[in-house]
Every structure is written in structure tokens, then in C-alpha cells.
Amino acid sequence: MTRSEVRFGQTELPERQVEVLRRAVRLEWITIAFLAVTVTLVFLVLGNSQAMKAAWIEDLLSFIPPLAFLIAIRVNRRRPTLTHPYGYHRSVGVGHLVAAVALSTMGTYLIVESGIGLLSGEHPTIGTVELFGVSIWLGWLMIGVMALTAVPPVLLGRAKIRLARELHNKVLYADADMNKADWMTAVGSIVGVTGIGLGLWWLDAAAALFIAAGILRDGLKNLRAAIVDLMDARATTFDDAEPHPLAGEIDAYLAGLPWVSAAGSRVRDEGHVFHVESFVVPHDGRMPSLDELEAAREGCVELDWKVQDIVLVPVRELPIIVPVAESPA
């Protein structure tokens, strides 16, 4: 498949989005490679620290969003079929939901476990290891590993957010958001290990609770967003901050056509792309011709590559569930 033929379903991606998609895929593979190294290093110095254990589990969970993104990208390229007439774009939402459930479940588990450790007064210890013939406190290795792995995820997260905006990909955004916050996990682990070294045993459990709370917060935030999208809520921006402006652009375009008196649309997010149902009120009740309807539809599709499919419905009056854009005339 050539650069100009890359598709999401039956939507052919513009040149810019093709390049952005390739960069996103490349970043996710880099993330997976980095996580493989990080998980291995943290496991080797894990010790008895609850904070380090929580950080290690978070690193394991961090594999889920990039894997979900890469799988969804392959699945939603399939063209619509009779069985799946809307295509496979919901694979993005499914991946988002799977990642959110995993984060929420493990965050809850770690909070309970860390809380029990704190209340029971467990006193973790950190011993020494022989390294190149020298006896070294294992805590120094723990702190070194966490400090070494704190910065790269933040840089990866910042790069992914820009790509998530252009691809309108909420799984990629969720992954980026988690990456940006990974430095807090590293700092929390360092604080916990330092607490053990200073004899403040409770600081390790408190740091583990802090890390677990961050995991649970990410999980619940993404769980809510994934469920809302799968329930066909009004399409929003990639970060769920506000309604997506494309709906208003479609309505304004349709209301500006000579034969349209008023227009209103309901738009649902299918993943990367939107499915649009636009209702139009013709002037004086005159039924538009097929040519006029087809030209209007093509004009809407050309507004933005995310308009995967659009249905135009001539009506006498607009449904109350859609915003209204009236003809300037």
C-alpha cells in the first residue's frame, strides 16, 4: 500500500496524517522497547520495597496502551462489510476500554495491598549486593535505576500528545498522558527507598500508596472517557476537553447552501473518524434534487478527513436534539 493509499476503513488519509501515523507507530515501538528495558532493570533491583513493587507493576501496565494502539491501527484499516457496515473503527474505543479496566483493577489492588502494609506496620529491609567485588547497598541501585528511567517517558509523552491531536486518537492520548506522569512514579519510588534507608519504614508504604493512587486515577479517567465514547456521546476533542468543532463547521457549511434554510447534525466518534447524521430544512419545503444532496454530502466530506460517513436527511423541522445553524439569508 502506497503512502497516499493508507486508510482508516474507507477513509483515505491525507499526506500529513499518513506521516503522523507512521511517527506515532514508531514512537509506540520505541516505548515498548524502553519499557522492556525498564521492567527488566527494576525487576533486578526490586528488593522488599513496596514502592518499587508498585512502580514495577505500573511499568508492566504501561505496555497495554501502546499495544492497544498498534493492534487497533491494524484492525480499523479493514473496510466496512455487510456484517460491520460502520467499519472497525470502534477497535480504538475497545482498546481504550481494555487499558482503562486494567489500570483501574491494578490500581485498586495496589491501594489495598499498600494500605494493609501501612496499617500492619510492616518494616521492609534493603540489603547489600556484591557488584564488581564491592559490597553496595541495594537502595543506591534502586534510586539509580528510577532516576535513569524518569525522564525518557516524559519526552515520549510530550511527543505523542501532538500526534494524538492530529490523528484524533484517544488511546494514543491516554498513553501520552500516562507517560508524562511517569516521573512522579520514579520520584515516589526514590522517596520510598530513601525512607527505608533512613529508618522511616512507613514512607515506603506511603510512596506505594501514592503510586497506586496515580494508577487508579489514570484508570478511572480513561474508563469514563472510553465508556462515554462507546455509548455514542457527542463527539469531543481528542482530550475530551470540549465538543469537537467539526460538528459546527458541518452545520455552518450546510446552512450556507442556497437551498438550505437551517441545518443541524448529530456526530458520534467512531475512533479516528466520525459518523455524521445531518438534518437539513429546505427553503419553502422544496425537496432538493439528488445532485444537490450529493454535492452537499461531498462538500461535507471535503471539510475534514475525519468525516468518515455522512447521511443527509431533508426534514420539515429540525429535531430538538441537534444544535441549529440557520441560513444567513
Side-chain angles (χ1 to χ4, degrees):
M1 183 172 288
T2 64
R3 176 184 291 267
S4 61
E5 293 175 337
V6 176
R7 294 173 177 269
F8 287 151
Q10 61 187 17
T11 299
E12 185 173 312
L13 297 187
E15 189 79 7
R16 172 62 183 173
Q17 273 62 42
V18 172
E19 181 57 32
V20 169
L21 177 60
R22 292 185 177 183
R23 288 169 56 192
V25 169
R26 186 162 56 246
L27 277 178
E28 292 295 40
W29 280 116
I30 291 173
T31 299
I32 290 173
F34 173 78
L35 286 173
V37 174
T38 299
V39 165
T40 302
L41 289 176
V42 174
F43 177 76
L44 291 175
V45 299
L46 202 54
N48 295 322
S49 168
Q50 290 187 43
M52 289 294 292
K53 179 182 177 182
W56 182 64
I57 291 176
E58 184 184 38
D59 287 338
L60 287 173
L61 291 173
S62 295
F63 278 105
I64 298 177
L67 289 174
F69 172 81
L70 293 172
I71 293 171
I73 285 295
R74 294 190 64 86
V75 172
N76 68 18
R77 287 183 177 183
R78 299 177 182 177
R79 292 177 180 271
T81 64
L82 290 176
T83 306
H84 296 276
Y86 293 102
Y88 294 83
H89 302 290
R90 289 293 195 192
S91 59
V92 176
V94 172
H96 196 185
L97 180 62
V98 169
V101 170
L103 288 169
S104 301
T105 303
M106 189 53 66
T108 303
Y109 166 76
L110 289 174
I111 285 178
V112 172
E113 184 181 62
S114 302
I116 291 175
L118 185 62
L119 294 174
S120 63
E122 295 180 5
H123 288 57
T125 58
I126 299 178
T128 60
V129 294
E130 290 289 330
L131 190 63
F132 304 114
V134 180
S135 182
I136 300 176
W137 182 53
L138 184 59
W140 292 122
L141 296 181
M142 293 178 179
I143 292 172
V145 167
M146 298 313 297
L148 187 65
T149 59
V151 176
V154 177
L155 300 178
L156 286 169
R158 290 185 179 277
K160 290 177 188 177
I161 282 182
R162 294 193 296 269
L163 305 183
R165 179 183 293 108
E166 295 198 51
L167 287 175
H168 188 72
N169 189 294
K170 295 186 179 181
V171 175
L172 186 59
Y173 173 72
D175 186 23
D177 201 34
M178 289 173 58
N179 289 157
K180 284 179 60 182
D182 274 356
W183 68 271
M184 292 189 291
T185 297
V187 171
S189 301
I190 291 173
V191 170
V193 172
T194 303
I196 295 175
L198 296 175
L200 305 174
W201 61 268
W202 54 268
L203 201 55
D204 181 57
L209 273 172
F210 171 76
I211 295 170
I215 295 173
L216 182 59
R217 183 190 66 246
D218 288 338
L220 293 178
K221 175 183 175 182
N222 286 290
L223 185 62
R224 177 185 179 280
I227 290 175
V228 167
D229 281 344
L230 289 174
M231 291 180 66
D232 289 336
R234 178 174 57 176
T236 60
T237 52
F238 76 105
D239 55 359
D240 292 313
E242 58 185 1
H244 201 285
L246 182 56
E249 294 173 16
I250 292 172
D251 290 345
Y253 169 78
L254 291 173
L257 296 176
W259 55 273
V260 176
S261 173
S265 302
R266 54 185 183 186
V267 182
R268 58 183 175 183
D269 193 336
E270 294 285 335
H272 295 98
V273 297
F274 296 157
H275 180 263
V276 185
E277 292 176 314
S278 292
F279 301 90
V280 290
V281 179
H283 280 299
D284 302 322
R286 181 185 68 85
M287 180 60 67
S289 67
L290 291 178
D291 289 340
E292 288 174 322
L293 287 171
E294 185 62 28
R297 181 186 179 283
E298 290 298 326
C300 291
V301 171
E302 290 174 3
L303 287 176
D304 195 290
W305 65 271
K306 290 187 288 294
V307 182
Q308 156 76 6
D309 196 10
I310 181 167
V311 177
L312 291 181
V313 185
V315 293
R316 292 186 182 276
E317 59 181 26
L318 295 178
I320 60 173
I321 59 172
V322 300
V324 179
E326 296 184 348
S327 170

